[in-house]
Amino acid sequence: MPDTPALDVQGLTVRYGGTVAVDALDLRIPRGATVALLGANGAGKSSTLNAALGLFRPAAGTVRLLGREPGEAIRAGGVGAMLQHGGLPGETRVGEVLTLVRRRYADPWPVEDLLATAGIEGLLGRQVDALSGGQRQRVLLALALAGAPPLLVLDEPTSAMDVEGRQAFWTTMRGLADRGHTVVFATHHLDEADAVADRVVVVDAGRVVADGSAAAIKSRVAGRTVRFRCPGPRAGLAALPGVTAVGGVGELVELATSDAEGTLRALLAERAELPGLEVRGATLEQAFLHLTTRPTDERSAR
Amino acid sequence: MTDLLLFQLRRVGRNRQYVFFTIVLPALFTILFTQVFGAQATADGGQQDYGRLYMVSMMAYGAIGAALGATIRLAFDRSTGWLRQLRVVPVPPGTALAVDVAVGALLVLPSLVVVALVGRFVNGVELGLGSWLGLIAVLWAGSVVFVALGIALGVALDSQAAGAATGILGTALAALGGLWWPVEILPSALVTVAHATPSYWYASLGRDVVAGHAPSAPTVLVLLAFAAVFSAAALVVSRRRPLHAVAG
């Protein structure tokens, strides 16, 4: 069934006591896609992924992985996952755990290549309890990859890694995506979503608030930023056409504007020079804040 | 399943504390207490009786420790996240639990056999072949009570409480159930307590066999009741708090 989606969640609702963690969320991810679930802590990313993996029964909604029930898809060897609260058994060596897990798959990832891909060559003889945080994450990645599964689900996989570890990790993930694996990952790092995913799903308060390419999501923020150096007085800048906010540090002025062209025309008309002029689109961070910031009245009502 | 079983057996077997408390210590006790206290009993010609009963008690003590120690550790595998990880690996549902039950049951055997060998060849306990086999068989079968208890505790407790329980519970069951000293020498209040412990009835299984008859019906019924209660507890708790649920 190669035409069924890799991950298909419809009307997913997850409640913890009285709190709604995931609110009638729909998410369909075709095979071969690399998708970031982007959201702040508590936005509902983990709950969505854990429910998708069948780790608990949601209050409502349906979940299909590769066209099957999650448990079935996992037992068929179609899914590999790095969980936020997953871990390794004590009193074992890395090699023993890896062998145990690889043997569960009919067609496991060849071991030498698996070790190189996960970056754990030389760790096989190591006691699990003696691993560093980053090494532990890489071993967990190796377990997730052990069956060479078509679908990889990664819940904040780089949380225990340093900057270099994160870069190496995402290089690996891009390589897997190029080989046709579907990669779905949760993150609150905007740069990860921007750099790795060909689709970003922004989750807030248990709902999807934006879904598209990183560029498309950035463009959801219509505004532009006009920057230039201005040693003199700044009076009147806020009154320029389109300007919604005046910021900047020292000589640098940053005008947030809803009408970049109008702002520029007015600036050029009244000033002889605009040193260091730049006009920029929104960053993913601005888009993210824009998308996930709730209206003030709703916030004050809390 | 076989892979996972061997994996778990290796992990437990390489724990030196576990091997010490479930095999070495009961064996040493069997030698020490039979030689020291048994010597006083020799005057009354009771050495053979004493040696038999103390051996049975130590077989029970070792088996209880082995069954509990091998199963309560479920709590550790939950707290590390390993049981959760196993859920996203192709393993049939219930396998992790079934394997730990099997590990608990299997690891009871070395304790029983080693203490029996010490009883026979160091302390000179004499029994017919049928009695030896019967003794090991009833104590092995009866250990299901403590496997069930250990699973229930392993599912219910967090890793810290589980660590404490492993140490305390075996000792408490041995002391209160009359495994370290005969119940007959205890004040009547403590006899009542002893009769409320599964360890007392468990050792009774073996005492009946070495006395030359089948385990009494009350003994078997009480143990079945304990096994049912502990299994039900394990089932209820694991429903509410699945093995792969986040420790907390």
Side-chain angles (χ1 to χ4, degrees):
Chain A
M1 295 171 284
D3 49 332
T4 55
L7 183 150
D8 192 1
V9 165
Q10 297 299 321
L12 180 70
T13 300
V14 177
R15 289 196 198 94
Y16 300 114
T19 317
V20 178
V22 181
D23 190 2
L25 183 142
D26 299 331
L27 180 63
R28 182 168 289 162
I29 295 174
R31 296 189 187 215
T34 304
V35 178
L37 233 56
L38 180 64
N41 288 327
K45 309 182 297 285
S46 285
S47 297
T48 300
L49 293 185
N50 288 337
L53 289 167
L55 291 175
F56 59 83
R57 190 182 293 279
T62 58
V63 175
R64 284 283 181 282
L65 297 182
L66 307 164
R68 303 174 183 221
E69 294 283 341
E72 245 180 75
I74 289 169
R75 286 193 292 282
V79 186
M82 281 176 81
L83 308 170
Q84 233 185 94
H85 297 282
L88 300 167
E91 290 160 334
T92 54
R93 291 175 194 281
V94 171
E96 291 176 295
V97 184
L98 195 61
T99 304
L100 177 80
V101 172
R102 278 186 81 249
R103 282 205 192 144
R104 305 305 311 168
Y105 295 91
D107 191 15
W109 192 304
V111 72
E112 294 301 324
D113 193 34
L114 176 60
L115 299 182
T117 304
I120 58 165
E121 308 105 317
L123 291 186
L124 284 188
R126 194 75 72 83
Q127 289 287 339
V128 159
D129 298 309
L131 296 173
S132 73
Q135 290 171 335
R136 181 172 290 269
Q137 285 299 94
R138 292 209 299 279
V139 172
L140 287 168
L141 170 65
L143 298 188
L145 297 178
L151 171 61
L152 275 170
V153 178
L154 315 165
D155 192 0
E156 308 222 356
T158 58
S159 54
M161 296 181 189
D162 56 20
V163 177
E164 286 150 40
R166 281 175 57 191
Q167 278 174 354
F169 180 87
W170 290 118
T171 306
T172 306
M173 287 305 120
R174 275 192 295 265
L176 290 169
D178 291 343
R179 287 157 84 159
H181 294 264
T182 310
V183 180
V184 182
F185 66 99
T187 183
H188 58 256
H189 292 298
L190 298 147
D191 51 333
E192 293 186 343
D194 204 355
V196 183
D198 48 41
R199 178 175 157 203
V200 178
V201 176
V202 182
V203 180
D204 188 47
R207 291 166 174 270
V208 173
V209 293
D211 186 344
S213 68
I217 287 182
K218 289 179 203 170
S219 74
R220 285 272 299 267
V221 183
R224 295 284 185 275
T225 304
V226 175
R227 284 157 54 124
F228 57 96
R229 286 207 309 281
C230 172
R234 302 174 172 205
L237 290 177
L240 292 171
V243 172
T244 52
V246 179
V249 184
E251 286 194 346
L252 185 72
V253 174
E254 271 190 14
L255 303 177
T257 173
S258 58
D259 174 14
E261 195 182 347
T263 306
L264 271 184
R265 281 183 198 286
L267 270 176
L268 290 165
E270 74 178 33
R271 285 172 190 252
E273 47 187 17
L274 287 170
L277 175 68
E278 283 180 52
V279 180
R280 293 185 167 187
T283 62
L284 190 56
E285 182 170 358
Q286 286 167 329
F288 180 70
L289 290 173
H290 174 74
L291 289 164
T292 59
T293 305
R294 292 168 198 101
T296 11
D297 53 343
E298 193 185 322
R299 213 189 263 169
S300 56
R302 282 165 183 246
Chain B
M1 170 115 181
T2 324
D3 283 358
L4 197 56
L5 181 66
L6 293 175
F7 182 80
Q8 292 294 76
L9 281 173
R10 264 205 309 272
R11 289 176 65 201
V12 185
R14 91 172 42 130
N15 186 323
R16 290 198 191 127
Q17 254 189 36
Y18 180 85
V19 174
F20 178 77
F21 280 105
T22 65
I23 300 178
V24 179
L25 196 63
L28 287 177
F29 276 169
T30 310
I31 298 169
L32 193 71
F33 284 78
T34 306
Q35 304 295 333
V36 173
F37 297 109
Q40 297 167 359
T42 323
D44 333 323
Q47 167 108 46
Q48 190 55 234
D49 285 349
Y50 187 90
R52 274 181 191 169
L53 291 181
Y54 202 76
M55 179 188 73
V56 167
S57 290
M58 284 305 103
M59 286 170 81
Y61 171 58
I64 290 172
L68 290 176
T71 47
I72 294 182
R73 44 180 293 122
L74 204 58
F76 307 141
D77 281 347
R78 184 211 292 277
S79 76
T80 57
W82 172 237
L83 290 171
R84 196 170 176 81
Q85 187 67 39
L86 270 184
R87 272 289 285 225
V88 292
V89 168
V91 171
T95 306
L97 191 63
V99 162
D100 276 12
V101 168
V103 167
L106 284 175
L107 288 178
V108 164
L109 278 175
S111 302
L112 293 179
V113 171
V114 168
V115 175
L117 288 173
V118 165
R120 172 66 188 85
F121 295 105
V122 179
N123 292 343
V125 172
E126 282 165 21
L127 292 172
L129 180 64
S131 295
W132 280 116
L133 294 179
L135 177 61
I136 286 175
V138 294
L139 288 180
W140 193 30
S143 71
V144 67
V145 173
F146 304 97
V147 171
L149 175 59
I151 294 280
L153 292 172
V155 174
L157 300 179
D158 66 25
S159 61
Q160 268 188 333
T166 309
I168 295 167
L169 202 59
T171 307
L173 285 172
L176 297 176
L179 302 185
W180 284 341
W181 37 72
V183 169
E184 290 73 31
I185 66 166
L186 297 175
S188 66
L190 284 181
V191 172
T192 314
V193 172
H195 287 173
T197 63
S199 43
Y200 171 81
W201 297 97
Y202 179 54
S204 290
L205 282 177
R207 287 193 289 264
D208 286 348
V209 171
V210 296
H213 48 82
S216 74
T219 303
V220 173
L221 286 177
V222 170
L223 287 171
L224 282 176
F226 271 117
V229 169
F230 295 150
S231 307
L235 221 69
V236 168
V237 180
S238 65
R239 279 273 160 75
R240 302 185 62 178
R241 197 164 175 260
L243 294 183
H244 60 274
V246 177

